[in-house]
Amino acid sequence: GTSTQIVIAMVICVAMIKVLNISKPYHKEYHNIFHEIMQWQIFFVLLAAMMIKFEESKTAGESGGISKSSGFDLLLVCMQGVGPFLMAII
């Protein structure tokens, strides 16, 4: 998506986190905590997408950049593994 779409999605994600913290929609507290963690996961994935877009626009024509870094790739994979890991231990 475009940078504008990513920013709007990030704002919606943060608003949803606030709504979840106020309303506590689930009966069990750990479900509320798990849902909040998953919302933060979505936020950080969107932030990573924004960082990649920014880096690509900054380094147009150059090799390398944040999306070519193996450390950044590993970070994204770990972020995606948080949800299933937490669900397994809860």
Side-chain angles (χ1 to χ4, degrees), residues 19-80:
V19 168
L20 287 171
N21 281 336
I22 292 171
S23 66
K24 305 280 188 200
Y26 302 108
H27 295 294
K28 296 182 180 178
E29 183 60 26
Y30 66 88
H31 287 160
N32 291 315
I33 293 169
F34 180 73
H35 195 168
E36 183 179 351
I37 290 169
M38 293 300 94
Q39 287 294 319
W40 280 112
Q41 178 186 12
I42 292 169
F43 176 82
F44 285 117
V45 168
L46 290 168
L47 180 63
M50 184 62 98
M51 290 169 58
I52 290 171
K53 275 202 156 305
F54 177 73
E55 187 69 25
E56 285 176 354
S57 68
K58 193 172 91 173
T59 61
E62 297 177 17
S63 62
I66 197 166
S67 61
K68 304 290 188 222
S69 169
S70 62
F72 192 71
D73 296 343
L74 181 61
L75 176 67
L76 288 175
V77 168
C78 290
M79 280 194 315
Q80 292 302 314

